[in-house]
Amino acid sequence: MHIYLVGGAVRDKLLGRPEGDRDYVVTGARPEDLLALGYQPVGRDFPVFLHPRTGEEYALARTERKSGRGYHGFVFQADPAVTLEQDLARRDLSINAIAEDEHGTLIDPYGGVRDIEARVLRHVSAAFVEDPVRLLRVARFAARFAPLGFTVADETMALLRQMVAEGEVDHLVPERVWAETRKALAEAQPSAFLRVLRGCGALCVLYPEVDALYGVPQRAEFHPEIDTGVHVEMVLDAAAAIAPGDDLVGFCALTHDLGKALTPAAEWPRHIGHEQLGVAPLRALAARLRVPAEHAALAELVCREHLNVHRALELRPATVLKLLAALDALRRPERLEPFLAACLADQRGRLGHEHDGYPQAAYLRRARDAAATVTAAPFVAQGLQGPAIGAAMERARIGAIAEMKQCNI
């Protein structure tokens, strides 16, 4: 029996990145061998075990054979005869197909070290096309490693296009698409995720509402980048910088301008009312991919209200209170920060505006705090009842916001 560290832990060590989960492959062993050593079985489709002390995953070396459509259509073989090289051959990218033995010696049969040095994402074998999830994983790894200079190999992009053309992507279930997309939105450069998907033709299949934004012009005086799709890429990367690792802010950034794709071409480059137009495609996208309710709800608020946030310093106190009420920010103050982060990302996701200040955010925080000082108790003490209490509180909150604004002019 031999044990090897494999996958992401080896890759990240070579890249000088913090190591995440450590996964191991075991060759020359049977399930009963690991059970006798106290390992706990967890794999349903193939033998995976948890180490009795560390809880780390140990999988028996295995091969896989395509038996149907989609990513469930595989038959696995795991027995003592399967070699490490055979196990590594079934992995997606060469940089993920490197192993390390107990002495620290690297086993790299598919050139992963070379591709790390060359900053290339390259598939291991032609079997790559058999699993459509790999297309999403390549796009996600592009989002993670683009800041390090990684690009997708031409031959790998050709395989991605082949997978789309042959309909493999059509067999991805919504939960898996969302799971990979959510991870990509939390990476350092999510725009690379969109570019890879668009480059292979998968974006129009998986996210047609986003794909439709490319080629739609905006007013150059406000958007020097002009193309709405490019703007969304820039907003995604701004969101990743403002709220690192926050896929909620990332999803809001991804969907905030979907309405611009619905503007009649005769009205370009103006997009009057795109905030409201964007709600329907956002809801359709969220329902289709079964996006979590809070992601969908906050994204809809950003879609509808981001222009009001940009104009916050010009709004009447009553309108500011209405905005805070729409966000439910008085009862749920934790919603305010991701909402503002997404709006700030929209402000900065424009050519030449990457470092803009955003006093609107501080103003809305102060407005929320001022409104929150108003409680029902004084009005109850005055003898008010029912709707009269709510009306009095609303007037008082508008007054508190007005006073705050006057004091900060």
Side-chain angles (χ1 to χ4, degrees):
M1 183 171 74
H2 296 281
I3 297 175
Y4 303 89
L5 181 67
V6 295
V10 181
R11 176 200 67 221
D12 289 343
K13 184 187 298 185
L14 293 172
L15 284 168
R17 291 167 56 92
E19 292 182 35
D21 294 335
R22 294 168 62 87
D23 297 321
Y24 297 84
V25 160
V26 183
T27 63
R30 299 166 298 176
E32 49 265 38
D33 297 326
L34 293 184
L35 290 172
L37 294 172
Y39 287 74
Q40 299 297 312
V42 294
R44 291 187 302 173
D45 298 324
F46 40 80
V48 178
F49 301 83
L50 299 183
H51 191 281
R53 292 193 307 276
T54 67
E56 293 173 327
E57 284 195 2
Y58 287 69
L60 294 186
R62 66 184 187 271
T63 60
E64 58 188 34
R65 177 174 55 83
K66 187 73 168 173
S67 62
R69 302 287 280 183
Y71 66 95
H72 284 308
F74 289 91
V75 173
F76 299 96
Q77 176 190 357
D79 61 52
V82 177
T83 67
L84 176 64
E85 288 74 15
Q86 287 175 314
D87 181 273
L88 294 176
R90 67 178 176 78
R91 297 175 185 268
D92 51 7
L93 297 173
S94 63
I95 66 170
N96 297 328
I98 310 169
E100 180 183 288
D101 68 15
E102 58 184 351
H103 305 294
T105 302
L106 295 180
I107 299 90
D108 180 27
Y110 304 106
V113 174
R114 175 199 63 212
D115 285 340
I116 285 176
E117 293 171 348
R119 298 303 197 247
V120 172
L121 300 174
R122 190 190 316 276
H123 64 284
V124 170
S125 75
F128 179 96
V129 300
E130 296 175 351
D131 184 355
V133 173
R134 289 172 176 166
L135 183 149
L136 289 167
R137 281 173 56 82
V138 170
R140 174 164 63 83
F141 279 120
R144 179 181 301 178
F145 294 129
L148 299 180
F150 276 81
T151 58
V152 180
D154 291 342
E155 58 268 35
T156 301
M157 281 299 298
L159 279 187
L160 299 183
R161 295 188 189 100
Q162 176 184 331
M163 294 169 73
V164 174
E166 294 179 352
E168 275 290 333
V169 176
D170 300 333
H171 295 275
L172 285 168
V173 299
E175 292 85 354
R176 200 61 190 266
V177 176
W178 170 245
E180 291 296 326
T181 301
R182 186 173 193 171
K183 293 175 184 176
L185 293 173
E187 298 290 3
Q189 195 172 320
S191 62
F193 179 74
L194 293 189
R195 286 194 294 274
V196 170
L197 292 182
R198 185 164 181 257
C200 69
L203 189 65
C204 64
V205 177
L206 301 174
Y207 277 111
E209 299 88 352
V210 177
D211 186 70
L213 296 172
Y214 287 90
V216 175
Q218 304 163 107
R219 292 174 64 182
E221 64 268 36
F222 299 123
H223 288 277
E225 71 283 357
I226 299 179
D227 190 289
T228 306
V230 174
H231 168 60
V232 169
E233 290 181 7
M234 296 178 71
V235 175
L236 279 173
D237 290 348
I242 293 162
D246 194 327
D247 59 85
L248 173 58
V249 175
F251 184 68
C252 294
L254 176 69
T255 57
H256 79 286
D257 262 354
L258 295 183
K260 289 182 177 177
L262 301 178
T263 302
E267 298 179 13
W268 291 350
R270 296 168 63 87
H271 294 279
I272 297 173
H274 74 274
E275 315 96 288
Q276 297 301 325
L277 286 175
V279 172
L282 196 163
R283 288 178 177 174
L285 182 157
R288 185 177 68 252
L289 295 185
R290 300 172 190 173
V291 172
E294 181 58 15
H295 282 62
L298 194 67
E300 184 172 325
L301 285 163
V302 171
C303 180
R304 283 196 285 109
E305 303 291 351
H306 63 276
L307 290 190
N308 278 331
V309 176
H310 296 336
R311 295 191 293 256
L313 301 178
E314 307 161 17
L315 300 179
R316 295 180 294 111
T319 307
V320 171
L321 181 61
K322 185 178 179 181
L323 172 61
L324 293 172
L327 187 61
D328 201 15
L330 297 179
R331 290 193 314 117
R332 301 176 61 188
E334 72 280 359
R335 272 183 145 199
L336 186 59
E337 288 309 313
F339 175 77
L340 293 176
C343 294
L344 172 58
D346 180 42
Q347 172 73 17
R348 291 183 176 172
R350 300 178 295 148
L351 196 62
H353 293 268
E354 294 84 355
H355 304 289
D356 278 6
Y358 203 58
Q360 297 93 323
Y363 172 69
L364 287 173
R365 291 187 192 103
R366 291 195 301 269
R368 197 223 77 89
D369 292 344
T373 62
V374 178
T375 65
F379 304 108
V380 173
Q382 293 174 19
L384 297 181
Q385 296 180 352
I389 296 175
M393 290 179 66
E394 181 177 346
R395 289 191 297 271
R397 284 171 171 165
I398 292 171
I401 293 171
E403 183 178 353
M404 177 278 300
K405 184 175 184 178
Q406 185 65 32
C407 292
N408 285 275
I409 290 178

